[in-house]
C-alpha cells in the first residue's frame, strides 16, 4: 500500500508539471507563419520593399545593370552601312542573410492558467519587437549586421540626396522628389514618422491653400509607428520603393527553452534563470537580408544616382537668454 500511495503522489505531481511539450503545443507551424506575416506588417521596410524569392544560401548575388547599350543610325555614305558595336555591362551586389532573434520569458503559472490565452498576448509583442529591430537596422543602420549595407538614410546622406527643410513642407516635398527624379526614378511613396501626419493634415501650397488633387496629394504616404523612425535624421523620405529589395533565408522558427539562463546581451547581466524562476522561454528566429540594386537607367548613369532622397530637419537655433535690465 505505501508503494501505491507514493506512485499515486508521483502521478499527480507529473500531471501538474509543465514541460516543453506543453509549450510546444502552443506554437504550431501555422502560428509560426502568422508571426512571419505579422512581422512583415509591423515592419515598414518589409511591407514597402520588393520581396525577392527566398535565398538558397546565406549570400545571394544580384545582377545589376552597370551600363546601357547604345544604338546608332547606320551611315551608308561614310561607313559603308556597317553596324556599330555596343555592350551592356553587369555589376554584382549581394544580399547577405543575417539572423534576427527574440526571446520571450513566460511564467509557468501563467501557462498553467487555462483561462489566459498566452499566445494571443505574446504574438503581437513578438511582431512589434522583430519589426522595430528590422526597421531600425534598415532605415537608420542602428545595430545593423556587419555585412549588411549602410542604412537607407545614411546612404541617402552619403550620396548627397538631402534637401534642407524650410517653412513650406509642400515646396520641400517637391524638391525631395526632384532629387529622386533627376536620378532617373519615379517617386512611389513618402515615408516618415507618426509626427508627420499632423503636418500633412495642414499641408498648404504656395498660395496658402490646402493641397488637393496634386501629384503630391495623390502619393502614397506611410508612417513608421514602431519607434524606429529617428526624426533628428530625416523629416521624410521620398523614393521608388520598388528599388529596395529583401529576401528571406529562413522563415520564422521557434524553440522552447526551459533550463536556460537569459542574459542582457550588452552587459552580460543575468535577467532570468528559467529553472530557478519557474519559467520557460520562447525563442523566435529568422534570417533575412536586403539591398538597393540601383541599376543605371536611361536618365542617369552616374554613380551619384540613387532612388531615394530625404528631407533634412531644419537646424533649431536657440535664442540667447534675455538679460535682466
Amino acid at each position: 500500500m505505501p508503494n501505491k500511495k507514493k506512485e499515486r503522489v508521483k502521478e499527480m505531481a507529473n500531471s501538474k508539471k509543465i514541460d516543453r511539450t506543453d509549450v510546444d503545443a502552443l506554437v504550431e507551424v501555422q502560428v509560426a507563419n502568422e508571426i512571419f506575416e505579422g512581422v512583415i506588417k509591423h515592419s515598414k521596410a518589409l511591407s514597402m520593399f520588393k520581396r525577392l524569392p527566398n535565398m538558397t544560401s546565406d549570400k545571394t548575388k544580384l545582377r545589376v545593370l552597370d551600363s546601357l547599350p547604345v544604338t546608332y543610325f547606320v551611315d551608308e555614305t561614310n561607313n559603308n552601312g556597317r553596324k556599330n558595336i555596343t555592350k551592356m555591362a553587369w555589376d554584382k551586389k549581394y544580399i547577405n542573410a543575417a539572423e534576427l532573434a527574440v526571446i520571450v520569458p513566460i511564467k509557468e503559472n501563467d501557462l498553467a492558467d487555462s483561462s489566459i490565452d498566452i499566445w494571443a498576448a505574446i504574438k503581437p509583442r513578438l511582431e512589434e519587437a522583430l519589426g522595430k529591430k528590422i526597421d531600425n537596422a534598415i532605415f537608420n543602420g542602428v545595430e545593423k549586421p556587419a555585412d549588411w549595407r549602410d542604412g537607407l538614410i545614411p546612404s541617402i546622406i552619403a550620396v548627397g540626396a538631402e534637401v534642407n527643410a524650410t517653412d513650406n513642407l509642400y515646396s520641400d516635398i517637391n524638391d525631395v522628389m526632384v532629387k529622386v527624379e533627376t536620378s532617373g526614378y519615379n517617386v512611389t511613396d513618402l515615408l516618415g514618422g507618426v509626427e508627420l501626419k499632423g503636418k500633412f493634415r495642414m499641408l498648404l501650397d504656395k498660395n496658402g491653400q490646402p493641397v488637393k488633387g496634386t501629384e503630391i496629394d495623390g502619393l502614397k504616404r506611410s508612417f513608421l509607428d514602431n519607434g524606429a523612425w529617428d526624426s533628428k535624421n530625416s523629416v521624410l523620405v521620398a523614393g521608388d520603393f520598388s528599388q529596395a529589395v529583401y529576401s528571406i533565408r529562413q522563415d520564422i522558427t521557434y524553440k522552447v527553452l526551459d533550463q536556460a539562463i537569459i542574459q542582457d546581451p550588452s552587459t552580460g547581466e543575468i535577467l532570468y534563470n528559467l529553472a530557478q524562476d519557474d519559467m520557460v522561454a520562447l525563442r523566435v528566429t529568422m534570417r533575412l537580408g536586403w539591398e538597393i540594386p540601383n541599376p543605371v537607367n536611361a536618365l542617369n548613369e552616374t554613380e551619384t544616382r540613387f532612388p531615394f532622397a530625404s528631407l533634412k530637419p531644419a537646424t533649431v537655433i536657440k535664442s540667447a537668454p534675455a538679460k535682466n535690465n
Side-chain angles (χ1 to χ4, degrees):
M1 290 293 293
N3 289 336
K4 289 184 177 180
K5 185 175 182 181
K6 287 182 180 179
E7 290 176 3
R8 188 175 179 184
V9 171
K10 186 177 179 180
E11 288 176 2
M12 291 177 64
N14 287 336
S15 68
K16 294 182 178 180
K17 179 183 177 182
I18 296 177
D19 57 25
R20 293 170 63 108
T21 57
D22 295 321
V23 188
D24 284 337
L26 290 174
V27 192
E28 300 171 352
V29 174
Q30 180 180 353
V31 177
N33 289 337
E34 287 178 5
I35 301 176
F36 178 70
E37 294 301 324
V39 171
I40 293 178
K41 178 181 178 182
H42 281 80
S43 165
K44 282 295 181 218
L46 300 191
S47 63
M48 297 177 72
F49 292 0
K50 179 181 179 180
R51 181 176 177 179
L52 300 180
N54 287 358
M55 303 170 70
T56 56
S57 66
D58 62 352
K59 186 186 289 285
T60 293
K61 181 164 63 177
L62 301 176
R63 301 291 291 179
V64 181
L65 192 61
D66 194 49
S67 68
L68 295 174
V70 180
T71 60
Y72 306 87
F73 285 105
V74 175
D75 190 339
E76 297 284 355
T77 303
N78 300 317
N79 202 22
N80 297 321
R82 292 175 181 169
K83 280 71 174 175
N84 280 311
I85 299 172
T86 188
K87 68 175 184 178
M88 292 175 60
W90 295 86
D91 195 5
K92 54 184 179 294
K93 288 187 177 182
Y94 292 92
I95 294 181
N96 296 299
E99 184 175 7
L100 182 68
V102 63
I103 298 175
V104 182
I106 313 165
K107 278 285 188 181
E108 288 185 350
N109 286 342
D110 291 338
L111 287 173
D113 189 345
S114 60
S115 65
I116 299 175
D117 188 347
I118 294 296
W119 181 244
I122 292 174
K123 190 165 73 73
R125 304 289 82 80
L126 283 172
E127 295 166 357
E128 289 174 5
L130 291 167
K132 179 178 179 180
K133 185 63 68 174
I134 292 169
D135 284 352
N136 225 341
I138 289 179
F139 291 130
N140 305 312
V142 174
E143 299 181 3
K144 75 174 186 67
D147 56 0
W148 272 18
R149 63 163 296 125
D150 288 339
L152 177 60
I153 293 174
S155 296
I156 290 172
I157 296 172
V159 299
E162 282 188 299
V163 171
N164 293 319
T166 68
D167 57 357
N168 189 317
L169 181 60
Y170 181 76
S171 177
D172 290 345
I173 293 174
N174 176 72
D175 293 342
V176 174
M177 292 176 65
V178 169
K179 283 276 188 184
V180 177
E181 291 159 354
T182 53
S183 283
Y185 296 100
N186 289 304
V187 174
T188 61
D189 299 74
L190 300 175
L191 173 67
V194 177
E195 66 277 3
L196 194 61
K197 281 187 173 183
K199 295 179 181 180
F200 273 123
R201 287 194 292 268
M202 299 298 293
L203 194 62
L204 304 176
D205 62 21
K206 298 178 187 177
N207 300 318
Q209 299 298 314
V211 176
K212 296 291 183 183
T214 64
E215 181 181 355
I216 292 176
D217 182 47
L219 279 174
K220 181 180 177 182
R221 304 168 186 174
S222 298
F223 305 97
L224 201 59
D225 58 359
N226 59 11
W229 187 262
D230 190 345
S231 58
K232 299 189 297 296
N233 293 330
S234 176
V235 176
L236 62 83
V237 167
D240 181 350
F241 279 80
S242 69
Q243 295 299 318
V245 299
Y246 74 96
S247 182
I248 302 297
R249 172 67 178 115
Q250 176 183 297
D251 287 347
I252 290 286
T253 60
Y254 67 90
K255 184 175 182 179
V256 176
L257 311 174
D258 58 359
Q259 299 293 324
I261 290 176
I262 300 176
Q263 297 174 279
D264 186 314
S266 301
T267 65
E269 177 188 358
I270 294 177
L271 303 177
Y272 300 101
N273 184 327
L274 299 183
Q276 189 175 24
D277 296 338
D278 295 327
M279 303 181 76
V280 294
L282 182 66
R283 186 182 69 190
V284 179
T285 60
M286 66 182 298
R287 297 173 67 197
L288 74 161
W290 78 291
E291 186 50 274
I292 301 175
N294 194 21
V296 298
N297 55 69
L299 296 180
N300 195 325
E301 296 186 51
T302 69
E303 293 183 357
T304 59
R305 72 184 182 279
F306 202 64
F308 298 92
S310 171
L311 180 59
K312 183 179 180 180
T315 302
V316 178
I317 302 176
K318 295 183 178 179
S319 57
K323 296 181 179 180
N324 294 324
N325 294 328

